Amino acid sequence: MALKILEEVNNFSLDRRTEPSLPLVEGCAWTIVGLAASLYRRRTPYIRVPTTLLSYIDASVGAKTGVNFANCKNKLGAYIPPAAAFLDLSFIQTVPRRQISNGLAEMLKMALMKHRGLFELLETHGRMLLDTKFQADNRVYGRNCMQVASQATRIAIVTMLEELAPNLWEDDLNRLVDFGHLISPALEMKVLPSLLHGEARGLLTEEEKHRIINCMVGLELPVWHEAFTMELIQKSLQDRLKHSGGLVRMPLPVALGEAEISNDTSCEILHRAYVKMVNSDS
């Protein structure tokens, strides 16, 4: 698809200095457009206009582009931030309910890593945001709906920017935004489209764990998938060590809204956690 985009750009005779491309697409397609922009005449500016909730609070503020290769997610790519990003929540009303839930998962990730207040917003108002698709609905939920939608998305974007902006080129591999990424890329590649990016994602008290699970259920997120096997976990751990300087660098929540990077997560520890999770699920 990146090559097809490049052909169209070339046929259009795009002036890379005065005519940035303007893709109105969701986050996955953005990474392809961004890669094409990085290749065409070495760098052509582009503007992002997110049309899904996930891209609204995640891809819209990042610099990473890429395409899948060799059965691995985003194996080929480049870092090329957009010239601008235009955010309009009205686009979100056109997407399916599951895509709203998928974006809420990304918001929940940032809440667990960095912002207890955002978690409590999702815990209290998550179902309302899911039902209204972040749009005004005075008849059912009153005027509070848009206020909550704006507040939640703003916090999610700000916390994402706090993590991405100082480390735009990922020189530092200790990234809280990678919470869940030890396993989720391999799981996504194995089971797409049955699991989306946000759906495929500690050191918490039992109460906190139950609150998180209940919040996930309220946001209509899966808490288990049959493809989540110990074999997949072991392979993901090996890949992580290979590409992260020999360290796991696993972000783990230590409380609601607080997280630390752990390098002590061995395969044995993951196996014990996996067995405990399977037993509790059954």
Side-chain angles (χ1 to χ4, degrees):
M1 185 181 289
L3 291 175
K4 184 172 179 58
I5 293 171
L6 287 168
E7 290 174 0
E8 292 297 328
V9 169
N10 190 57
N11 292 337
F12 188 75
S13 298
L14 189 72
D15 185 336
R16 67 187 179 98
R17 292 179 177 82
T18 61
E19 297 177 331
S21 59
L22 184 69
L24 278 77
V25 293
E26 51 88 23
C28 177
W30 267 351
T31 64
I32 302 173
V33 173
L35 178 61
S38 72
L39 293 172
Y40 188 72
R41 301 196 64 184
R42 291 154 301 282
R43 182 176 179 178
T44 298
Y46 67 107
I47 296 172
R48 288 176 174 171
V49 182
T51 58
T52 66
L53 181 59
L54 179 61
S55 60
Y56 189 96
I57 52 99
D58 181 10
S60 65
V61 296
K64 187 186 297 184
T65 71
V67 295
N68 299 339
F69 176 72
N71 203 34
C72 294
K73 185 178 177 182
N74 289 336
K75 195 75 168 181
L76 302 179
Y79 294 97
I80 173 171
F86 298 149
L87 304 181
D88 186 346
L89 276 174
S90 63
F91 282 110
I92 311 302
Q93 64 187 306
T94 65
V95 302
R97 184 180 179 91
R98 186 184 175 197
Q99 288 289 351
I100 303 295
S101 182
N102 186 42
L104 283 165
E106 192 72 13
M107 297 177 71
L108 179 60
K109 177 185 81 172
M110 297 312 298
L112 294 178
M113 293 292 97
K114 289 183 62 70
H115 206 289
R116 184 186 182 97
L118 177 57
F119 174 80
E120 291 172 347
L121 269 177
L122 296 177
E123 187 178 37
T124 305
H125 301 292
R127 180 52 66 96
M128 177 186 72
L129 295 173
L130 185 59
D131 289 342
T132 61
K133 296 187 175 182
F134 287 73
Q135 309 302 307
D137 190 343
N138 295 336
R139 293 173 300 175
V140 179
Y141 291 103
R143 297 181 179 180
N144 187 43
C145 182
M146 279 309 299
Q147 180 181 350
V148 173
S150 297
Q151 184 180 6
T153 50
R154 187 184 307 112
I155 295 173
I157 290 172
V158 168
T159 54
M160 187 74 74
L161 280 171
E162 288 173 351
E163 286 298 303
L164 295 182
N167 189 30
L168 201 59
W169 318 118
E170 298 186 15
D171 296 315
D172 184 359
L173 297 178
N174 294 324
R175 301 177 353 121
L176 294 182
V177 292
D178 283 344
F179 177 52
H181 288 189
L182 172 66
I183 297 165
S184 65
L187 185 59
E188 279 182 67
M189 293 299 294
K190 184 175 182 179
V191 303
L192 274 172
S194 64
L195 279 182
L196 302 176
H197 175 70
E199 298 171 336
R201 313 269 189 258
L203 305 174
L204 301 167
T205 66
E206 286 298 319
E207 179 191 1
E208 289 171 330
K209 285 187 283 187
H210 285 303
R211 287 179 66 184
I212 292 170
I213 291 173
N214 289 336
C215 185
M216 291 178 66
V217 172
L219 300 178
E220 298 183 7
L221 292 168
V223 295
W224 177 256
H225 195 281
E226 60 184 9
F228 185 66
T229 63
M230 194 59 214
E231 180 183 2
L232 183 139
I233 294 173
Q234 290 172 331
K235 182 181 183 303
S236 299
L237 181 60
Q238 292 170 358
D239 290 342
R240 182 73 165 188
L241 292 170
K242 180 180 178 181
H243 299 294
S244 297
L247 298 174
V248 179
R249 306 179 193 272
M250 179 186 285
L252 290 175
V254 296
L256 295 176
E258 299 178 31
E260 295 178 355
I261 300 293
S262 172
N263 289 310
D264 299 326
T265 312
S266 65
C267 196
E268 179 185 354
I269 293 174
L270 290 174
H271 183 263
R272 290 205 305 266
Y274 177 80
V275 171
K276 182 178 180 180
M277 181 173 58
V278 170
N279 290 337
S280 64
D281 185 66
S282 59

